[in-house]
C-alpha cells in the first residue's frame, strides 16, 4: 500500500497528513531492522464485515452510499500522492 512505500522512503508524515472523514488517521508509522509498521486511530462503530453479518445484503442505495464514501476517500488520498 501507499503508506508502506511512504514509510520505506522515510515519508510517513505524508500519510499522517491525510485528513478526511472517511480515512482513519495514521498515528504512527515506521520501520525496524526487519519490519515496517503502521498504527491508525481507533474508530468507534462496526466494520463493514460486522454490518453485513448483522444485516445481510444491503439495499442498493445504502450500498451505493458506502461505495461513494470509499471513492471519496480514495480520490482524496490519490490526489495527495
Amino acid at each position: 500500500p501507499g503508506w508502506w512505500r511512504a514509510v520505506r522512503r522515510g515519508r510517513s508524515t505524508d500519510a499522517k497528513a491525510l485528513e478526511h472523514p472517511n480515512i482513519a488517521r495514521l498515528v504512527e508509522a515506521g520501520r525496524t531492522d526487519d519490519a515496517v509498521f503502521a498504527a491508525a486511530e481507533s474508530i468507534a462503530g462496526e466494520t463493514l464485515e460486522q454490518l453485513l453479518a448483522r444485516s445481510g445484503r444491503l439495499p442498493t442505495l445504502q450500498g451505493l452510499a458506502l461505495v461513494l464514501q470509499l471513492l471519496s476517500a480514495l480520490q482524496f488520498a490519490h490526489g495527495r500522492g
Side-chain angles (χ1 to χ4, degrees):
W3 65 265
W4 184 77
R5 283 191 300 277
V7 170
R8 282 185 39 207
R9 287 186 238 141
R11 294 179 29 214
S12 64
T13 54
D14 292 353
K16 286 181 182 179
L18 290 177
E19 290 192 32
H20 186 276
N22 302 112
I23 298 176
R25 189 174 58 85
L26 182 63
V27 176
E28 187 60 54
R31 59 182 168 182
T32 63
D33 290 338
D34 58 349
V36 174
F37 69 91
E41 71 179 320
S42 178
I43 305 292
E46 65 184 344
T47 64
L48 178 59
E49 180 179 21
Q50 292 166 332
L51 172 65
L52 293 173
R54 180 176 53 78
S55 303
R57 186 176 176 164
L58 299 177
T60 302
L61 291 179
Q62 187 178 1
L64 285 174
L66 292 174
V67 169
L68 288 175
Q69 290 177 37
L70 171 66
L71 291 175
S72 172
L74 220 86
Q75 181 181 30
F76 179 83
H78 181 72
R80 279 145 186 83

